[in-house]
Amino acid sequence: MNDLNNVYQSTQVDYEDDGGEEMELATPGKRIAAYLINYLISLVAAVPLIIGFYQMYKSYVISAQAGASAPDFSGASMGMIGLGSLLVLAYYIVQAVLMSKNGQSMGKRIMKIKVVDEDGDNPGFVKVVLMREVVPNLVLAFVGMIPFLGPIAQIGFWVACLVMLFLVDRDRQTLQDMIAKTYVVDAE
């Protein structure tokens, strides 16, 4: 009977928060949903930027077909790029403040999960923003520039993180969590 009990892995982190209660690890579904919500919000913020670049591209193609030496970029396309850039910048600033303040991005807040450090406390700006978000994305950006290997490494990184979400015996820590020594738990 003891062998059967050892097979079960708890989804609770082995430290206690201030209230003396164990914190439950966030489910993979909640973490994936939070990521997708954040991605959708960032995509909406980038819509004017995308439209502006599309308008510039269209102007370039029209001028090239007409034989003009330089494309005539309209103020509208430049305005859309400016607006989109401001919206994307504002999105990332808001996300950084929210993550620093309470360990929750917009998506994590909606899904009622949060990032905590090894003691169950708020990890703060360095761990939650720099170590979990900026460092891995900078590494992926540089690796992505390596011909042929870059895209494969990037896909491998995200697949590895996806698989790690389901490893209860590793406390569902993704590579970013391991770098920052953080956990994602239910915030309820």
Side-chain angles (χ1 to χ4, degrees):
M1 188 67 163
N2 284 339
D3 292 336
L4 290 176
N5 288 336
N6 290 336
V7 171
Y8 171 75
Q9 294 289 328
S10 174
T11 58
Q12 295 180 337
V13 181
D14 61 356
Y15 61 84
E16 297 181 359
D17 67 0
D18 295 335
E21 298 176 20
E22 289 184 345
M23 300 180 97
E24 189 75 21
L25 292 172
T27 64
K30 282 185 176 182
R31 291 186 69 175
I32 292 167
Y35 177 85
L36 292 174
I37 290 167
N38 287 335
Y39 185 77
L40 182 63
I41 294 169
S42 69
L43 190 61
V44 169
V47 165
L49 190 64
I50 294 165
I51 291 170
F53 278 118
Y54 175 74
Q55 289 173 340
M56 286 180 68
Y57 169 76
K58 201 165 87 175
S59 294
Y60 176 78
V61 169
I62 291 169
S63 67
Q65 288 173 345
S69 60
D72 181 29
F73 298 129
S74 70
S77 62
M78 299 305 283
M80 291 298 274
I81 290 172
L83 174 63
S85 298
L86 286 175
L87 287 174
V88 169
L89 181 63
Y91 165 77
Y92 284 116
I93 290 171
V94 168
Q95 288 286 69
V97 169
L98 290 174
M99 291 290 286
S100 298
K101 187 175 175 183
N102 57 21
Q104 292 178 301
S105 63
M106 291 179 208
K108 284 180 177 63
R109 188 177 194 112
I110 290 168
M111 295 309 301
K112 296 182 177 154
I113 59 178
K114 66 180 178 178
V115 178
V116 296
D117 65 12
E118 293 174 319
D119 297 325
D121 298 324
N122 180 7
F125 178 79
V126 171
K127 281 189 175 183
V128 80
V129 176
L130 293 181
M131 298 305 289
R132 284 187 90 247
E133 304 296 331
V134 175
V135 168
N137 285 308
L138 282 176
V139 170
L140 283 176
F142 286 119
V143 168
M145 290 188 266
I146 301 171
F148 304 110
L149 178 64
I152 294 168
Q154 289 178 326
I155 291 168
F157 175 84
W158 293 112
V159 169
C161 287
L162 182 64
V163 169
M164 293 173 88
L165 285 177
F166 294 92
L167 299 178
V168 177
D169 59 330
R170 305 263 317 156
D171 294 326
R172 293 189 176 141
Q173 284 185 302
T174 61
L175 294 171
Q176 301 98 310
D177 291 318
M178 293 173 83
I179 291 168
K181 298 179 182 175
T182 57
Y183 299 92
V184 180
V185 298
D186 286 332
E188 299 173 39

Short mmCIF file of all heavy atoms in Angstrom, two decimals, residues 38 41-42 87-109 115 122-134 137:
data_model
loop_
_atom_site.label_atom_id
_atom_site.label_comp_id
_atom_site.label_asym_id
_atom_site.label_seq_id
_atom_site.Cartn_x
_atom_site.Cartn_y
_atom_site.Cartn_z
N ASN A 38 -2.14 37.14 -22.22
CA ASN A 38 -1.10 38.17 -22.36
C ASN A 38 -0.72 38.36 -23.82
O ASN A 38 -0.54 39.50 -24.28
CB ASN A 38 0.15 37.79 -21.55
CG ASN A 38 -0.06 37.95 -20.07
OD1 ASN A 38 -0.90 38.74 -19.62
ND2 ASN A 38 0.71 37.22 -19.30
N ILE A 41 -3.50 40.30 -25.63
CA ILE A 41 -3.49 41.72 -25.27
C ILE A 41 -2.34 42.44 -25.98
O ILE A 41 -2.52 43.54 -26.51
CB ILE A 41 -3.39 41.91 -23.73
CG1 ILE A 41 -4.66 41.38 -23.05
CG2 ILE A 41 -3.18 43.38 -23.38
CD1 ILE A 41 -4.55 41.26 -21.54
N SER A 42 -1.16 41.81 -26.02
CA SER A 42 -0.03 42.45 -26.70
C SER A 42 -0.28 42.55 -28.20
O SER A 42 0.11 43.53 -28.84
CB SER A 42 1.27 41.69 -26.43
OG SER A 42 1.28 40.43 -27.06
N LEU A 87 1.53 52.19 -27.65
CA LEU A 87 0.65 51.19 -27.02
C LEU A 87 1.44 49.96 -26.58
O LEU A 87 1.22 49.45 -25.47
CB LEU A 87 -0.47 50.79 -27.98
CG LEU A 87 -1.57 51.82 -28.21
CD1 LEU A 87 -2.54 51.34 -29.28
CD2 LEU A 87 -2.31 52.12 -26.91
N VAL A 88 2.35 49.50 -27.42
CA VAL A 88 3.16 48.34 -27.06
C VAL A 88 4.05 48.67 -25.87
O VAL A 88 4.17 47.88 -24.92
CB VAL A 88 3.98 47.84 -28.27
CG1 VAL A 88 5.01 46.81 -27.85
CG2 VAL A 88 3.04 47.26 -29.33
N LEU A 89 4.68 49.83 -25.89
CA LEU A 89 5.52 50.26 -24.77
C LEU A 89 4.70 50.36 -23.49
O LEU A 89 5.12 49.88 -22.42
CB LEU A 89 6.19 51.60 -25.09
CG LEU A 89 7.11 52.16 -24.01
CD1 LEU A 89 8.29 51.23 -23.78
CD2 LEU A 89 7.58 53.55 -24.41
N ALA A 90 3.52 50.97 -23.57
CA ALA A 90 2.64 51.09 -22.40
C ALA A 90 2.25 49.70 -21.87
O ALA A 90 2.24 49.47 -20.66
CB ALA A 90 1.40 51.89 -22.75
N TYR A 91 1.94 48.78 -22.79
CA TYR A 91 1.59 47.42 -22.39
C TYR A 91 2.72 46.79 -21.58
O TYR A 91 2.49 46.23 -20.50
CB TYR A 91 1.27 46.56 -23.63
CG TYR A 91 1.25 45.08 -23.34
CD1 TYR A 91 0.15 44.51 -22.70
CD2 TYR A 91 2.30 44.26 -23.68
CE1 TYR A 91 0.14 43.16 -22.42
CE2 TYR A 91 2.29 42.92 -23.41
CZ TYR A 91 1.20 42.36 -22.77
OH TYR A 91 1.18 41.03 -22.48
N TYR A 92 3.95 46.88 -22.09
CA TYR A 92 5.08 46.26 -21.39
C TYR A 92 5.38 46.95 -20.07
O TYR A 92 5.76 46.28 -19.09
CB TYR A 92 6.32 46.20 -22.28
CG TYR A 92 6.20 45.11 -23.32
CD1 TYR A 92 6.17 45.41 -24.67
CD2 TYR A 92 6.10 43.77 -22.95
CE1 TYR A 92 6.04 44.40 -25.62
CE2 TYR A 92 5.97 42.77 -23.88
CZ TYR A 92 5.95 43.08 -25.22
OH TYR A 92 5.82 42.09 -26.14
N ILE A 93 5.20 48.25 -19.99
CA ILE A 93 5.41 48.96 -18.72
C ILE A 93 4.37 48.52 -17.69
O ILE A 93 4.70 48.23 -16.54
CB ILE A 93 5.40 50.48 -18.93
CG1 ILE A 93 6.67 50.91 -19.68
CG2 ILE A 93 5.28 51.23 -17.60
CD1 ILE A 93 6.67 52.36 -20.13
N VAL A 94 3.11 48.47 -18.11
CA VAL A 94 2.03 48.04 -17.19
C VAL A 94 2.29 46.61 -16.72
O VAL A 94 2.17 46.30 -15.53
CB VAL A 94 0.64 48.18 -17.86
CG1 VAL A 94 -0.43 47.47 -17.07
CG2 VAL A 94 0.29 49.65 -18.04
N GLN A 95 2.67 45.73 -17.65
CA GLN A 95 2.95 44.35 -17.28
C GLN A 95 4.10 44.28 -16.27
O GLN A 95 4.03 43.54 -15.29
CB GLN A 95 3.29 43.50 -18.51
CG GLN A 95 2.11 43.21 -19.41
CD GLN A 95 1.16 42.18 -18.84
OE1 GLN A 95 0.47 42.42 -17.84
NE2 GLN A 95 1.11 41.04 -19.47
N ALA A 96 5.17 45.04 -16.50
CA ALA A 96 6.31 45.03 -15.60
C ALA A 96 5.93 45.53 -14.21
O ALA A 96 6.35 44.96 -13.20
CB ALA A 96 7.45 45.88 -16.17
N VAL A 97 5.12 46.58 -14.15
CA VAL A 97 4.68 47.11 -12.86
C VAL A 97 3.81 46.09 -12.13
O VAL A 97 4.01 45.83 -10.94
CB VAL A 97 3.92 48.45 -13.04
CG1 VAL A 97 3.22 48.87 -11.76
CG2 VAL A 97 4.87 49.55 -13.52
N LEU A 98 2.85 45.49 -12.84
CA LEU A 98 1.98 44.49 -12.21
C LEU A 98 2.78 43.29 -11.73
O LEU A 98 2.56 42.80 -10.61
CB LEU A 98 0.90 44.03 -13.20
CG LEU A 98 -0.19 45.03 -13.55
CD1 LEU A 98 -1.10 44.48 -14.65
CD2 LEU A 98 -1.01 45.39 -12.32
N MET A 99 3.69 42.81 -12.56
CA MET A 99 4.49 41.64 -12.17
C MET A 99 5.39 41.97 -10.97
O MET A 99 5.54 41.15 -10.07
CB MET A 99 5.34 41.16 -13.35
CG MET A 99 4.55 40.55 -14.49
SD MET A 99 3.82 38.95 -14.11
CE MET A 99 5.26 37.91 -14.15
N SER A 100 5.96 43.16 -10.96
CA SER A 100 6.83 43.57 -9.85
C SER A 100 6.05 43.74 -8.56
O SER A 100 6.52 43.38 -7.49
CB SER A 100 7.54 44.88 -10.18
OG SER A 100 8.35 44.73 -11.31
N LYS A 101 4.86 44.31 -8.69
CA LYS A 101 4.06 44.66 -7.52
C LYS A 101 3.44 43.44 -6.84
O LYS A 101 3.49 43.31 -5.62
CB LYS A 101 2.96 45.63 -7.94
CG LYS A 101 2.16 46.20 -6.81
CD LYS A 101 1.19 47.24 -7.32
CE LYS A 101 0.31 47.75 -6.21
NZ LYS A 101 -0.68 48.70 -6.69
N ASN A 102 2.86 42.53 -7.62
CA ASN A 102 2.16 41.40 -6.99
C ASN A 102 2.41 40.05 -7.65
O ASN A 102 1.72 39.09 -7.37
CB ASN A 102 0.65 41.68 -6.90
CG ASN A 102 0.03 41.95 -8.25
OD1 ASN A 102 0.57 41.57 -9.27
ND2 ASN A 102 -1.11 42.61 -8.24
N GLY A 103 3.38 39.98 -8.57
CA GLY A 103 3.71 38.71 -9.21
C GLY A 103 2.68 38.25 -10.22
O GLY A 103 2.66 37.07 -10.57
N GLN A 104 1.84 39.16 -10.68
CA GLN A 104 0.79 38.80 -11.62
C GLN A 104 0.82 39.70 -12.85
O GLN A 104 0.80 40.92 -12.71
CB GLN A 104 -0.59 38.93 -10.99
CG GLN A 104 -0.87 37.93 -9.89
CD GLN A 104 -2.25 38.16 -9.29
OE1 GLN A 104 -2.53 39.22 -8.77
NE2 GLN A 104 -3.09 37.15 -9.39
N SER A 105 0.85 39.08 -14.02
CA SER A 105 0.63 39.83 -15.25
C SER A 105 -0.88 39.96 -15.41
O SER A 105 -1.64 39.46 -14.59
CB SER A 105 1.22 39.05 -16.43
OG SER A 105 0.55 37.80 -16.57
N MET A 106 -1.31 40.63 -16.47
CA MET A 106 -2.75 40.75 -16.71
C MET A 106 -3.38 39.37 -16.86
O MET A 106 -4.44 39.08 -16.29
CB MET A 106 -3.02 41.60 -17.94
CG MET A 106 -2.69 43.05 -17.79
SD MET A 106 -3.02 43.92 -19.35
CE MET A 106 -1.85 45.25 -19.22
N GLY A 107 -2.74 38.51 -17.63
CA GLY A 107 -3.26 37.16 -17.84
C GLY A 107 -3.28 36.34 -16.56
O GLY A 107 -4.25 35.63 -16.27
N LYS A 108 -2.22 36.44 -15.77
CA LYS A 108 -2.17 35.71 -14.50
C LYS A 108 -3.24 36.23 -13.54
O LYS A 108 -3.85 35.47 -12.80
CB LYS A 108 -0.78 35.81 -13.87
CG LYS A 108 0.25 34.92 -14.54
CD LYS A 108 1.61 35.08 -13.87
CE LYS A 108 2.64 34.16 -14.46
NZ LYS A 108 2.93 34.40 -15.87
N ARG A 109 -3.46 37.53 -13.56
CA ARG A 109 -4.49 38.11 -12.69
C ARG A 109 -5.87 37.58 -13.07
O ARG A 109 -6.67 37.22 -12.21
CB ARG A 109 -4.44 39.62 -12.78
CG ARG A 109 -5.33 40.31 -11.78
CD ARG A 109 -5.17 41.83 -11.88
NE ARG A 109 -5.77 42.42 -10.73
CZ ARG A 109 -5.11 43.04 -9.77
NH1 ARG A 109 -3.82 43.19 -9.86
NH2 ARG A 109 -5.73 43.54 -8.74
N VAL A 115 3.17 34.53 -9.41
CA VAL A 115 4.54 34.06 -9.30
C VAL A 115 5.03 34.37 -7.89
O VAL A 115 4.84 35.48 -7.39
CB VAL A 115 5.45 34.76 -10.35
CG1 VAL A 115 6.89 34.29 -10.19
CG2 VAL A 115 4.93 34.51 -11.75
N ASN A 122 6.55 37.65 -2.80
CA ASN A 122 6.61 38.31 -4.10
C ASN A 122 8.08 38.39 -4.52
O ASN A 122 8.90 38.93 -3.79
CB ASN A 122 6.00 39.70 -4.00
CG ASN A 122 6.03 40.45 -5.32
OD1 ASN A 122 6.39 39.91 -6.35
ND2 ASN A 122 5.66 41.71 -5.27
N PRO A 123 8.42 37.88 -5.70
CA PRO A 123 9.82 37.86 -6.13
C PRO A 123 10.40 39.24 -6.45
O PRO A 123 11.60 39.41 -6.45
CB PRO A 123 9.82 37.00 -7.39
CG PRO A 123 8.49 36.37 -7.47
CD PRO A 123 7.56 37.17 -6.62
N GLY A 124 9.56 40.22 -6.76
CA GLY A 124 10.05 41.55 -7.09
C GLY A 124 10.50 41.68 -8.52
O GLY A 124 10.51 40.73 -9.30
N PHE A 125 10.92 42.89 -8.88
CA PHE A 125 11.24 43.24 -10.26
C PHE A 125 12.37 42.39 -10.84
O PHE A 125 12.27 41.88 -11.96
CB PHE A 125 11.62 44.73 -10.35
CG PHE A 125 12.01 45.17 -11.72
CD1 PHE A 125 11.04 45.43 -12.67
CD2 PHE A 125 13.35 45.31 -12.06
CE1 PHE A 125 11.40 45.83 -13.95
CE2 PHE A 125 13.72 45.71 -13.33
CZ PHE A 125 12.74 45.97 -14.28
N VAL A 126 13.45 42.22 -10.09
CA VAL A 126 14.62 41.52 -10.64
C VAL A 126 14.28 40.08 -11.01
O VAL A 126 14.56 39.63 -12.12
CB VAL A 126 15.82 41.57 -9.66
CG1 VAL A 126 16.95 40.67 -10.11
CG2 VAL A 126 16.30 43.00 -9.49
N LYS A 127 13.67 39.35 -10.10
CA LYS A 127 13.37 37.95 -10.38
C LYS A 127 12.21 37.77 -11.36
O LYS A 127 12.30 36.98 -12.28
CB LYS A 127 13.05 37.20 -9.08
CG LYS A 127 14.26 36.81 -8.29
CD LYS A 127 13.86 35.89 -7.16
CE LYS A 127 15.09 35.40 -6.44
NZ LYS A 127 14.74 34.45 -5.38
N VAL A 128 11.13 38.49 -11.15
CA VAL A 128 9.94 38.21 -11.94
C VAL A 128 9.97 38.86 -13.32
O VAL A 128 9.47 38.30 -14.28
CB VAL A 128 8.65 38.58 -11.16
CG1 VAL A 128 8.35 40.04 -11.21
CG2 VAL A 128 7.46 37.79 -11.65
N VAL A 129 10.57 40.02 -13.44
CA VAL A 129 10.60 40.69 -14.75
C VAL A 129 11.92 40.41 -15.46
O VAL A 129 11.93 39.88 -16.58
CB VAL A 129 10.36 42.21 -14.61
CG1 VAL A 129 10.50 42.91 -15.95
CG2 VAL A 129 8.98 42.48 -14.03
N LEU A 130 13.02 40.74 -14.83
CA LEU A 130 14.31 40.58 -15.51
C LEU A 130 14.67 39.10 -15.73
O LEU A 130 14.97 38.70 -16.86
CB LEU A 130 15.42 41.28 -14.73
CG LEU A 130 15.36 42.80 -14.68
CD1 LEU A 130 16.54 43.37 -13.90
CD2 LEU A 130 15.31 43.40 -16.08
N MET A 131 14.65 38.31 -14.66
CA MET A 131 15.10 36.92 -14.77
C MET A 131 14.10 36.01 -15.49
O MET A 131 14.51 35.11 -16.21
CB MET A 131 15.41 36.36 -13.37
CG MET A 131 16.52 37.10 -12.65
SD MET A 131 18.06 37.19 -13.57
CE MET A 131 18.60 35.51 -13.48
N ARG A 132 12.80 36.21 -15.27
CA ARG A 132 11.81 35.33 -15.90
C ARG A 132 11.41 35.78 -17.30
O ARG A 132 11.00 34.95 -18.11
CB ARG A 132 10.53 35.27 -15.05
CG ARG A 132 10.64 34.44 -13.82
CD ARG A 132 9.30 34.28 -13.12
NE ARG A 132 8.62 33.10 -13.64
CZ ARG A 132 7.50 33.14 -14.34
NH1 ARG A 132 6.93 34.28 -14.63
NH2 ARG A 132 6.95 32.03 -14.78
N GLU A 133 11.46 37.06 -17.60
CA GLU A 133 10.97 37.56 -18.87
C GLU A 133 12.08 38.08 -19.79
O GLU A 133 12.21 37.65 -20.92
CB GLU A 133 9.92 38.66 -18.64
CG GLU A 133 8.74 38.24 -17.76
CD GLU A 133 7.89 37.14 -18.36
OE1 GLU A 133 7.81 37.04 -19.59
OE2 GLU A 133 7.30 36.37 -17.58
N VAL A 134 12.86 39.02 -19.30
CA VAL A 134 13.83 39.70 -20.16
C VAL A 134 14.99 38.78 -20.54
O VAL A 134 15.30 38.64 -21.74
CB VAL A 134 14.35 40.99 -19.48
CG1 VAL A 134 15.44 41.63 -20.30
CG2 VAL A 134 13.19 41.98 -19.28
N ASN A 137 14.09 35.92 -23.04
CA ASN A 137 13.72 36.46 -24.36
C ASN A 137 14.91 37.07 -25.09
O ASN A 137 14.99 36.99 -26.32
CB ASN A 137 12.57 37.45 -24.23
CG ASN A 137 11.25 36.74 -24.00
OD1 ASN A 137 10.90 35.84 -24.74
ND2 ASN A 137 10.54 37.13 -22.96
#
